[in-house]
């Protein structure tokens, strides 16, 4: 395999940090992060330039839990700050693991790694602001407590299908990656860049272009496709814990979809073939990247990154033929 200096933007899913049946101890996190780092360095070794992004669902959930548990002792922070904290946490771990694997592979003289605290501008007038849908943070079981949170903090709290009540926040669409120039400069100069973690810290711009954070979450795959598009990726890869997008997923006749045009994928998406909070957003993000850039996007298993790029594994989404 020869990457020929092509830029691959890789979106790491939750399993890059926390596997099913794990508690999330620091040891488990390092083990998972190193496994992901080896995959990434393998690509670098094959001549690809790499920019990495990642989810932060469980981690930002933890930060919000800590804030809630300690709220009488330490004033709670806001969600945008919690998001930035997780970019630091996960970015640090990835950065160190990738750096160490580069040293083991004698590649450290050619490549460096860096994490960016990365803001993503979201649509101010997105209908999502009036319809928060993303459950975040701790579960509440006391209705009086819920009432107080709604009144005092202005939160929207809804019954969670999994039981109890939880805060819901908007998940707006994305406009631009605020630090895109820095990311370009870095990868063009031999850096592996970790950016747009957790989809990016959501910010809005005022009339002068000044940014401020918002209490919202950006879908990581949506932020990933934006990142890939604006930094000029040749390939966008979404890595998760399944081989790709399936028809009849979880049923005895499930079938891995190997290649779809953007239009074919859209049709299946509309038919509800892909889980709305899981595979759906990945397919949506892959379609957007393909349509926007004319380049391919892949969805596949974290431990098959190389096979995916070789066309031996995963689901490939390509732009419609003109
Ligand atoms: P990540 O945390 O890696 O971003 P998610 O857990 O959000 O990933 O999404 C991956 C999951 O999507 C799979 O583990 C699978 O259970 C689910 N899924 C839902 N529909 C499909 C489908 N049609 N094909 C494949 N996976 C699907
Ligand atoms: Mg998952």
């Amino acid at each position: 395999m020869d990457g020929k200096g092509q830029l691959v933007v890789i979106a790491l899913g939750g399993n890059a940090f926390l596997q099913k049946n794990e508690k999330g101890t620091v040891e488990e996190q390092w083990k998972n992060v190193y496994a992901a780092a080896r995959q990434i360095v393998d690509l670098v070794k094959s001549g690809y330039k790499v920019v990495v992004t990642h989810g932060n669902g469980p981690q930002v959930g933890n930060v919000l839990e800590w804030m809630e548990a300690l709220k009488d002792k330490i004033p709670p922070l806001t969600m945008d700050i919690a998001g930035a904290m997780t970019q630091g946490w996960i970015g640090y771990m990835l950065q160190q693991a990738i750096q160490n694997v580069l040293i083991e592979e004698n590649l450290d003289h050619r490549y460096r790694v860096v994490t960016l605290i990365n803001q993503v501008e979201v649509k101010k007038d997105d209908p999502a602001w009036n319809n928060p849908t993303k459950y975040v943070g701790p579960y509440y079981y006391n209705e009086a407590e819920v009432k107080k949170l709604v009144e005092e903090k202005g939160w929207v709290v809804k019954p969670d299908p999994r039981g109890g009540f939880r805060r819901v926040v908007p998940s707006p669409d994305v406009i631009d990656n605020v630090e895109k120039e820095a990311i370009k400069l870095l990868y063009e100069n031999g850096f592996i860049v970790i950016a747009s973690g957790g989809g990016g810290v959501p910010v809005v711009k005022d009339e002068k272009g000044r940014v401020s954070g918002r209490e919202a979450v950006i879908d990581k795959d949506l932020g990933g496709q934006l990142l890939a598009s604006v930094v000029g990726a040749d390939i966008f890869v979404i890595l998760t814990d399944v081989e790709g997008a399936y028809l009849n997923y979880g049923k005895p006749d499930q079938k891995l979809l190997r290649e779809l045009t953007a239009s074919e994928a859209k049709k299946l998406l509309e038919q509800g073939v892909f889980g709305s909070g899981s595979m759906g957003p990945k397919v949506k993000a892959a379609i957007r990247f393909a349509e926007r850039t004319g380049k391919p996007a892949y969805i596949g298993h974290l431990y098959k990154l190389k096979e995916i790029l070789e066309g031996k594994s995963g689901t490939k989404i390509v732009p419609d033929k003109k």
Side-chain angles (χ1 to χ4, degrees):
M1 191 165 67
D2 181 7
K4 302 191 185 85
Q6 292 188 97
L7 176 65
V8 186
V9 170
I10 301 172
L12 299 174
N15 62 330
F17 314 99
L18 187 69
Q19 304 281 332
K20 280 177 188 138
N21 312 319
E22 283 180 352
K23 286 210 175 98
T25 65
V26 174
E27 292 75 20
E28 287 164 344
Q29 291 184 45
W30 279 119
K31 178 200 74 174
N32 295 328
V33 165
Y34 266 91
R38 286 196 190 90
Q39 300 279 313
I40 290 163
V41 171
D42 238 16
L43 278 207
V44 171
K45 226 169 148 179
S46 311
Y48 288 99
K49 294 191 172 91
V50 176
V51 171
V52 184
T53 187
H54 57 81
N56 72 343
Q59 292 80 11
V60 84
N62 289 354
V63 175
L64 296 175
E65 290 267 5
W66 297 331
M67 279 166 29
E68 173 66 29
L70 295 170
K71 67 180 177 217
D72 298 327
K73 226 171 156 180
I74 304 166
L77 305 170
T78 49
M79 270 205 77
D80 52 329
I81 300 176
M85 285 168 74
T86 66
Q87 289 185 343
W89 163 1
I90 297 168
Y92 158 69
M93 294 184 80
L94 274 171
Q95 179 174 322
Q96 186 175 98
I98 294 171
Q99 205 161 340
N100 285 341
V101 176
L102 285 171
I103 291 170
E104 284 163 23
E105 299 281 341
N106 281 317
L107 288 166
D108 55 308
H109 53 287
R110 283 175 49 202
Y111 303 99
R112 294 275 183 282
V113 202
V114 70
T115 302
L116 253 86
I117 299 298
N118 199 186
Q119 309 171 94
V120 167
E121 188 193 354
V122 293
K123 282 187 187 153
K124 237 193 240 172
D125 55 355
D126 194 299
W129 294 110
N130 300 316
N131 179 31
T133 52
K134 278 274 178 192
Y135 289 95
V136 294
Y139 290 78
Y140 301 93
Y141 296 96
N142 178 332
E143 294 209 25
E145 191 185 359
V146 169
K147 207 166 156 241
K148 211 172 136 206
L149 288 170
V150 172
E151 278 165 10
E152 286 178 6
K153 298 202 175 191
W155 287 5
V156 181
V157 182
K158 285 186 185 166
D160 189 303
R162 289 152 282 200
F165 291 86
R166 271 175 104 192
R167 184 178 184 196
V168 284
V169 295
S171 187
D173 200 355
V174 295
I175 300 174
D176 201 9
N177 186 302
V178 178
E179 285 83 18
K180 63 178 184 245
E181 282 87 6
I183 300 167
K184 275 193 227 162
L185 261 179
L186 288 163
Y187 88 72
E188 282 165 358
N189 286 284
F191 283 83
I192 297 165
V193 188
I194 299 152
S196 196
V201 178
V203 297
V204 296
K205 273 193 180 163
D206 69 9
E207 62 290 342
K208 286 193 172 153
R210 292 174 298 204
V211 293
S212 54
R214 285 294 178 273
E215 302 242 25
V217 295
I218 301 174
D219 175 69
K220 164 276 268 170
D221 300 306
L222 186 69
Q225 66 77 32
L226 172 74
L227 170 71
S229 307
V230 298
V231 303
D234 298 293
I235 303 164
F236 176 43
V237 191
I238 300 172
L239 298 176
T240 182
D241 58 358
V242 284
E243 295 279 310
Y246 286 82
L247 265 187
N248 302 323
Y249 178 69
K251 307 219 174 84
D253 61 341
Q254 68 173 24
K255 189 173 160 272
L256 180 64
L257 297 157
R258 290 303 319 277
E259 184 166 331
L260 297 169
T261 65
S263 297
E264 287 166 347
K266 261 189 207 164
K267 231 175 259 164
L268 294 173
L269 199 59
E270 279 160 20
Q271 290 167 17
V273 165
F274 312 115
S276 64
S278 52
M279 188 50 69
K282 298 185 200 317
V283 173
K284 227 183 259 178
I287 294 170
R288 245 211 225 186
F289 177 77
E291 288 192 326
R292 226 175 132 169
T293 65
K295 291 171 179 157
Y298 297 82
I299 300 165
H301 195 280
L302 172 64
Y303 297 149
K304 300 211 165 156
L305 180 53
K306 225 170 166 173
E307 287 94 322
I308 295 167
L309 293 186
E310 287 167 347
K312 295 178 190 155
S313 181
T315 301
K316 182 181 190 183
I317 297 184
V318 296
D320 289 347
K321 290 169 195 87
K322 293 260 158 61

